[in-house]
């Protein structure tokens, strides 16, 4: 049986997006006809790209920016369409502007793609299908309607988003504990199973995932109004952060245990304790997601979690035992506090609501962030120039192809595959090709469906799926986006058919073009390493200064460092 409580945040968000787009299509279709609904649909879908699990105020800023950029892109296509050469220059210029928005950080990612998708939808409309002003007016109406829906759905889902953010942070912490245990067990001389290189990769990915989930939890939970429930969630997030910090610190001493049998027995015992704590965190995450009081959580074992009796008393490494035991005790106590909070135990927050707000990621679009990227060494500027050249080249190549009636598909394929560095581009290339081919097969099956209502429902399902999984399973999102694009083109111009073969060919060619252009003005990681090392050292010096001079009242500064 379907249980909405088991939906992760991205799936719940995708469902809300599909529902909103569907309601807008029905409402405008009833009032203005099916053609108006199709034009409004383009504005709604492009605006929806920026609608991700977030607070109401952040949702307002992002979807409004996406709507404005989408309208500008559609207007540009409408004005330049009679002049193909000028339109090609416009495509390149729009690609440059869209990618320069990355100067504002990860939050601008969904916003940056909204004008590209709007460009594709505008180019897909048959020339002369309707007066330009009428098409743009309906697209603006669709965008405005979706902004209203995004604000309403964000307000309605705030409580659930916060719950899922806390659950996601706990789940990522549990995964990091397991990854650390696997890395210890996979030590070359430890006799454990597993590839050390794979275990190390999983550990690094786990650190990155937990950092991302913790920031998402801060942005939602710390911004919530004060209350018993909100305070308990904030306390859980703070304890999870502390667990992460203690776990990272524990790496400093384990290498000193050595790789002989005695030292490795201690390491394996340590790994076993970390797995036990991981299970407790997973159980806590289940309790948060399902909304139960967590009274049935298995208690942590009484006494010491760690016993290093394998080392002889005169072994110098035995001096590490109290340190490791202390850190495991801290991990166990932190996990126990999380369990107590989920059982309803009240705990005063160490920080005020105003202090917690300082840990929320900044919002807004300051121009100084853009000016800082206007230098030749900037990866953002180089990627924007690379994208502009690639999209312009894709457009003019498409004009020369036998299936030049769909140049927007080639532009779209290049835009979604070309990423900031070669590794990301290659990963996107493979996932895009696989997803597109699967989507084309799905559309071939759908080509026998004659019911417009059934195709409309499939279109909405594709919109929600592509939105939900674009970050997590891109091959699935690419497949859903292919279904969405082909159905959108078919509904806008039924006489054109589905053009599945051309779509597959454009994807293969676009993936190849994106791969080739990833070598144009490249941003190799080795060039950014010196700056990254300097930033890391500066951050470490800042944190060390706070840790060594810790006085009452500077808890916020230390946590920020």
């Amino acid at each position: 049986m379907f249980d909405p409580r088991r939906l992760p945040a991205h799936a719940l968000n995708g469902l809300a997006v599909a529902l909103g787009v569907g309601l807008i299509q029905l409402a405008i279709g009833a009032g203005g006809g099916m053609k108006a609904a199709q034009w409004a649909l383009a504005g709604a879908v492009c605006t929806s790209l920026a609608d991700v699990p977030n607070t109401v105020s952040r949702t307002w800023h992002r979807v409004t920016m996406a709507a404005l950029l989408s309208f500008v892109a559609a207007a540009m296509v409408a004005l330049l369409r009679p002049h193909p050469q000028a339109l090609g220059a416009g495509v390149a210029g729009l690609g440059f502007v869209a990618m320069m928005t990355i100067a504002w950080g990860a939050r601008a990612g969904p916003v940056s793609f909204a004008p590209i998708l709007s460009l594709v939808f505008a180019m897909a409309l048959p020339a002369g299908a309707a007066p330009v002003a009428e098409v743009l007016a309906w697209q603006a109406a669709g965008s405005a309607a979706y902004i209203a829906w995004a604000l309403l759905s964000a307000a309605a889902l705030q409580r659930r988003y916060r719950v899922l953010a806390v659950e996601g942070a706990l789940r990522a912490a549990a995964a990091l504990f397991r990854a650390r245990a696997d890395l210890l067990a996979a030590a070359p001389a430890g006799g454990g199973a597993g590839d050390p290189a794979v275990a190390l990769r999983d550990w690094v990915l786990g650190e990155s995932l937990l950092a991302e989930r913790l920031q998402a939890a801060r942005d939602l939970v710390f911004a919530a109004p004060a209350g018993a429930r909100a305070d308990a969630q904030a306390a859980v997030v703070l304890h999870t952060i502390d667990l992460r910090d203690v776990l990272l610190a524990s790496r400093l001493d384990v290498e000193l245990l050595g790789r002989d049998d005695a030292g490795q027995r201690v390491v394996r015992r340590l790994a076993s304790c970390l797995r036990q704590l991981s299970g407790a965190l997973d159980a806590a995450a289940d309790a948060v997601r399902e909304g139960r009081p967590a009274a049935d959580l298995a208690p942590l074992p009484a006494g010491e979690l760690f016993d290093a009796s394998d080392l002889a008393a005169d072994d110098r490494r035995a001096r590490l035992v109290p340190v490791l035991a202390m850190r495991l005790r801290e991990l166990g106590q932190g996990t126990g506090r999380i369990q107590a909070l989920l059982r309803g135990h009240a705990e005063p927050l160490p920080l005020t609501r105003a202090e917690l707000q300082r840990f929320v990621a900044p919002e807004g679009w300051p121009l100084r962030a853009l000016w800082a990227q206007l230098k030749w060494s900037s990866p953002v500027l180089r990627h924007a120039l690379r994208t502009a050249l690639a999209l312009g080249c894709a457009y003019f190549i498409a004009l020369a192809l036998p299936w030049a009636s769909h140049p927007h598909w080639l532009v779209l394929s290049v835009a979604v595959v070309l990423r900031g560095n070669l590794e990301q581009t290659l990963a996107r290339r493979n996932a895009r090709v696989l997803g597109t081919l699967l989507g084309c097969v799905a559309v071939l099956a759908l080509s026998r469906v004659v019911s417009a209502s059934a195709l409309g429902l499939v279109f909405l399902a594709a919109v929600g799926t592509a939105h939900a999984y674009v970050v997590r399973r891109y091959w699935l999102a690419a497949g859903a986006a292919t279904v969405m694009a082909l159905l959108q083109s078919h509904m806008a111009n039924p006489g054109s058919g589905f053009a599945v073969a051309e779509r597959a060919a454009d994807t293969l060619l676009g993936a190849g073009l994106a791969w080739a252009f990833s070598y144009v003005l490249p941003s190799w990681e080795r060039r950014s390493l010196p700056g990254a090392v300097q930033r890391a050292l500066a951050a470490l010096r800042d944190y060390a200064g706070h840790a060594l001079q810790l006085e009452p009242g500077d808890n916020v500064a230390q946590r920020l460092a």
Side-chain angles (χ1 to χ4, degrees), residues 60 83 95 97 115 155-156 170 193 223 253 256 306 315 337 339 361 376 390 393 401 411-412 414 463 491 509 522 550:
W60 159 254
H83 314 284
V97 172
L170 288 171
D253 302 311
L256 300 176
F306 181 58
D315 193 326
R337 291 190 187 99
Q339 291 180 334
W376 188 246
C393 182
L401 292 174
V411 170
L412 177 62
V414 173
V463 169
M491 290 186 293
L509 180 56
L550 185 60

Side-chain angles (χ1 to χ4, degrees), residues 116-442:
I116 301 293
L117 188 61
S118 179
L119 168 81
V120 171
F121 282 171
M123 292 173 66
L125 287 175
V132 170
E134 182 181 356
V135 174
L136 292 178
W138 282 116
Q139 177 164 346
S143 293
Y146 192 86
I147 290 173
W149 170 262
L151 296 177
L152 288 173
S153 63
L157 295 173
Q158 273 305 288
R159 186 170 179 174
R160 190 59 185 168
Y161 280 159
R162 289 196 289 267
V163 167
L164 294 175
V166 175
E167 184 240 344
L170 288 171
R171 195 80 67 190
L176 187 63
F177 272 64
R178 282 194 300 274
R180 180 59 182 158
D182 292 342
L183 184 59
L184 292 173
D195 184 349
V198 174
L200 180 59
R201 182 200 63 192
D202 292 343
W203 164 259
V204 173
L205 292 176
E207 286 191 36
S208 175
L209 177 63
L210 180 55
E212 175 188 326
R213 296 281 178 86
L214 284 174
Q215 190 56 56
R218 291 187 192 101
D219 293 343
L220 282 163
V221 175
F222 291 178
R229 183 186 181 92
D231 288 352
Q233 290 175 336
V236 170
V237 173
L238 289 173
H239 283 310
T240 306
I241 294 170
D242 291 339
L243 288 177
R244 188 270 311 269
D245 294 346
V246 175
L247 181 64
L248 293 179
S250 69
R251 297 182 60 189
L252 301 175
D253 302 311
V254 174
E255 294 295 331
L256 300 176
L257 288 171
R259 296 182 178 180
D260 61 347
D261 290 342
Q264 288 302 305
R265 280 196 296 270
V266 178
V267 169
R268 286 194 294 272
R269 195 187 299 274
L270 177 60
S272 176
C273 293
L274 291 177
R275 290 195 178 96
Q276 191 171 357
L277 292 170
S278 171
L281 289 172
D282 266 330
D286 290 337
V288 169
R289 181 190 63 198
E290 296 166 11
R292 50 186 170 86
D296 56 343
L297 285 179
L300 295 173
E304 293 292 336
L305 284 170
F306 181 58
D307 176 18
S309 58
D310 297 289
L311 294 175
D314 59 348
D315 193 326
R316 290 193 302 175
R317 293 173 297 178
R319 300 174 187 173
L320 291 175
V321 172
V323 176
L324 295 173
M326 177 191 67
R327 287 180 177 154
L328 275 174
R329 194 179 304 116
E330 289 181 18
L331 293 174
Q333 289 172 349
T335 305
R337 291 190 187 99
I338 290 173
Q339 291 180 334
L341 286 164
L342 298 181
R343 291 191 180 100
H345 173 73
E347 177 182 310
L349 287 173
L351 305 174
T352 66
R353 280 284 159 183
E355 290 171 335
L356 289 175
Q357 285 288 331
R358 296 177 62 184
F359 295 90
V360 175
E363 184 71 10
W365 311 90
L367 287 178
R368 64 179 179 275
L370 183 62
W371 304 142
Q373 300 299 328
L374 297 180
K375 53 185 179 182
W376 188 246
S377 61
S378 166
V380 174
L381 178 63
R382 295 170 75 89
H383 180 57
L385 291 171
R386 184 187 314 125
T387 301
L389 293 172
L391 296 188
C393 182
Y395 173 82
F396 286 112
I397 288 176
L399 293 182
L401 292 174
W403 53 89
S405 57
H406 304 111
H408 50 283
W409 285 350
L410 187 56
V411 170
L412 177 62
S413 295
V414 173
V416 297
V417 172
L418 186 59
R419 300 290 92 188
N421 59 54
L422 179 61
E423 180 186 8
Q424 294 173 352
T425 298
L426 293 178
R428 273 293 179 96
R429 179 199 64 185
N430 298 338
R432 179 70 181 180
V433 171
L434 173 61
T436 299
L437 294 179
L438 292 175
C440 288
V441 171

